[in-house]
Amino acid sequence: MGETRELGMGIGWRPEIADAVEGLPGVDWVEVVAENLCAGHLPDSLLRLRERGVTVVPHGVSLGLGGADRPDAGRLADLAAKATALGAPLVTEHIAFVRAAGPAGALEAGHLLPVQRTWDALEVLCENVRIAQDALPVPLALENIAALISWPGEELTEGQFLAELVERTGVRLLIDVANLHTNHVNRGEDPSKALDELPVEAIAYVHVAGGVERDGVWHDTHAHPVPRPVLDILADLSSRVAPPGVLLERDDDFPPAPALAAELTAIRDTLTRSAPVRLGSVSSAGAAPVAVPAGAAVPATCGGPAGPAGATTAVRAEAAPAAAGPGPVRGADEEARQRVWVAQAALLSALVAGAPVPEGFDRARVRVQSRALAAKRAGVVARIAPELPRILGGGYRAAFLAYAMARPMRDGYRRDALDFAEHLLVAGEPADPGARRRLARWWEERAGERPPGPVARLLRAVRTSLRGVRP
């Protein structure tokens, strides 16, 4: 696994709060969504932070390493280029699947969906992780995700699954304590048990974020203040091992800078109060303090500090018993991949394409997740294509949700925006002629050439109808 870089206290960098992040005191590092960056044109704010010595870590959301397909070489190369451009000490992604191949092409979730905790899924994930590790120039860490739905017939707990993953691949972990809380509320999973079972010495850093509970379901929004139960889980983790880094995530409904600073202070206070009891002190030879109680990870030096921030590794003390299973594997066989694909494609079809809910799932929860995915698509499309809500006015959201519940996303949100506009034009919508002309112009300017077909013929007719109104 190698050395673990000490990161310190961080915050998620987002364009909306770039100025605030630059001005916050005590920020040692930032994390940025990798898909929102271009390696050759980094935002000025990130460049200024790097010049000040602030570490920048790219955080990917689209590899889908838990999916049945092997990771896409192009996506891996893109992530590698961004890590190099940022001078990042590591890159991070998620233990999730985000797409599944179907008869009419890949189905895209537009969201991180949970991987089955089965031996088949573990084999597939491990091989995918190894492929990613070979393609990346720096170490990889993977994040546990929040989930609304549970897979039937799971064979391992979350902690066991993560421990097996680390044992077989040497990958590091990004533990999101807010996601542990989400899974406690939504799936009845005990966060303390998960921490008991996972290898805390493999932690690269920790995420902390807020959410909200509605109708008994916890929504991991990253748009609300961090609640006390999430800080309590952070305290539990910190009492076992000193995490190399802790990061506050905020993705929407951004508060003013003083509120962000207050949340960072609350996190620091939690870490200070819950730090493990230390025996002895650091000697002149560089011996690290030992953390107690037994059963926690015991940090140990690896030749002293490495670089300005130093680096440490850790060894496991009294590790939890390993789950019974088939033992280490070299790669996932194609039959295992096929079984994982069948299960994931069936669930994703139910979530985004209106297919029946697979046997064994909580149907009500699947319907809630399906509506949430459609609402997320509507929100993201509105942000990346703000002209659409302006053209459609108050009817945008209802029109998009009606489209999304029957039309899965094919190739990301920008393609989704074009497909939505095309869908409306094919149906002769919107009813207002002026709005329809503006929508047709918007589509034509962005869609480019398309192969001949019914839609192309329709839009040629639309363009003909617009000739008299072009400036």
Side-chain angles (χ1 to χ4, degrees):
M1 193 180 310
E3 296 181 345
T4 300
R5 170 75 172 266
E6 291 289 341
L7 294 169
M9 180 62 63
I11 188 169
W13 183 93
R14 304 293 183 265
E16 297 89 341
I17 54 172
D19 291 343
V21 169
E22 288 188 60
L24 287 171
V27 170
D28 304 304
W29 64 290
V30 298
E31 179 193 80
V32 59
V33 176
E35 287 77 2
N36 293 344
L37 290 182
C38 177
H41 302 281
L42 297 177
D44 290 342
S45 174
L46 286 181
L47 294 176
R48 288 192 294 269
L49 288 168
R50 288 189 62 215
E51 289 170 359
R52 286 166 37 188
V54 175
T55 299
V56 182
V57 175
H59 185 55
V61 298
S62 64
L63 282 184
L65 294 175
D69 292 330
R70 291 174 177 85
D72 179 76
R75 293 179 190 274
L76 284 171
D78 188 54
L79 184 57
K82 291 168 183 176
T84 299
L86 292 168
L90 78 164
V91 298
T92 58
E93 247 287 353
H94 298 82
I95 302 169
F97 79 100
V98 297
R99 64 185 65 87
L107 295 174
E108 291 275 350
H111 190 69
L112 302 164
L113 295 175
V115 174
Q116 313 100 298
R117 296 175 196 153
T118 63
W119 295 108
D120 275 351
L122 179 65
E123 288 185 19
V124 170
L125 174 62
C126 287
E127 184 179 359
N128 290 350
V129 168
R130 294 187 195 101
I131 292 170
Q133 289 170 319
D134 289 343
L136 294 170
V138 292
L140 172 68
L142 295 180
E143 179 180 352
N144 60 305
I145 71 163
L148 177 61
I149 53 180
S150 298
W151 284 90
E154 293 196 318
E155 298 166 341
L156 300 97
T157 65
E158 179 162 40
Q160 290 169 341
F161 193 84
L162 295 178
E164 286 284 341
L165 173 64
V166 170
E167 176 68 23
R168 296 175 184 219
T169 66
V171 75
R172 298 171 183 176
L173 297 177
L174 192 182
I175 295 301
D176 190 314
V177 292
N179 290 347
L180 292 177
H181 174 66
T182 301
N183 294 341
H184 172 63
V185 176
N186 293 346
R187 309 207 296 186
E189 297 175 358
D190 183 355
S192 183
K193 180 181 178 183
L195 293 176
D196 285 341
E197 294 174 337
L198 66 83
V200 293
E201 72 276 6
I203 293 175
Y205 62 89
V206 174
H207 271 175
V208 182
V212 64
E213 186 171 353
R214 298 191 189 100
D215 301 324
V217 174
W218 186 266
H219 298 270
D220 182 44
T221 63
H222 296 189
H224 294 81
V226 178
R228 172 50 54 186
V230 170
L231 293 176
D232 289 343
I233 298 172
L234 175 64
D236 188 359
L237 184 153
S238 178
S239 71
R240 302 161 186 260
V241 64
V246 179
L247 181 127
L248 171 65
E249 285 190 293
R250 189 78 179 222
D251 292 325
D252 206 352
D253 196 15
F254 298 101
L260 293 173
E263 290 212 272
L264 289 171
T265 297
I267 292 170
R268 290 190 190 94
D269 290 346
T270 298
L271 294 171
T272 300
R273 289 194 301 268
S274 58
V277 176
R278 302 292 184 179
L279 301 181
S281 59
V282 180
S283 72
S284 59
V290 177
V292 294
V298 181
T301 57
C302 187
T312 61
T313 58
V315 294
R316 183 73 171 166
E318 298 184 20
V329 294
R330 298 299 178 190
D333 62 61
E334 294 308 312
E335 291 184 358
R337 284 193 180 272
Q338 179 71 13
R339 288 190 293 269
V340 170
W341 170 76
V342 168
Q344 292 182 348
L347 175 59
L348 191 50
S349 295
L351 288 171
V352 303
V357 177
E359 190 67 29
F361 282 92
D362 184 322
R363 296 176 186 276
R365 284 291 177 91
V366 171
R367 286 194 293 270
V368 170
Q369 180 74 84
S370 180
R371 290 193 295 270
L373 292 179
K376 179 180 179 180
R377 284 172 65 185
V380 175
V381 166
R383 286 198 295 274
I384 67 171
E387 303 88 354
L388 293 179
R390 288 199 291 267
I391 291 170
L392 299 174
Y396 164 77
R397 187 173 180 82
F400 191 94
L401 292 179
Y403 151 83
M405 294 302 290
R407 294 281 298 271
M409 184 163 57
R410 295 188 296 157
D411 188 24
Y413 287 107
R414 296 188 187 281
R415 177 79 262 166
D416 206 22
L418 289 170
D419 287 348
F420 170 54
E422 185 177 285
H423 167 78
L424 292 178
L425 292 169
V426 168
E429 298 291 339
D432 176 70
R436 191 163 62 251
R437 285 193 294 270
R438 292 195 298 274
L439 183 63
R441 284 178 181 166
W442 181 90
W443 187 94
E444 186 182 15
E445 290 167 357
R446 293 160 178 80
E449 292 299 321
R450 283 284 190 91
V455 170
R457 289 195 295 272
L458 169 70
L459 290 171
R460 280 198 296 271
V462 170
R463 287 197 292 271
T464 299
S465 72
L466 293 176
R467 285 173 186 161
V469 298
R470 287 186 181 278

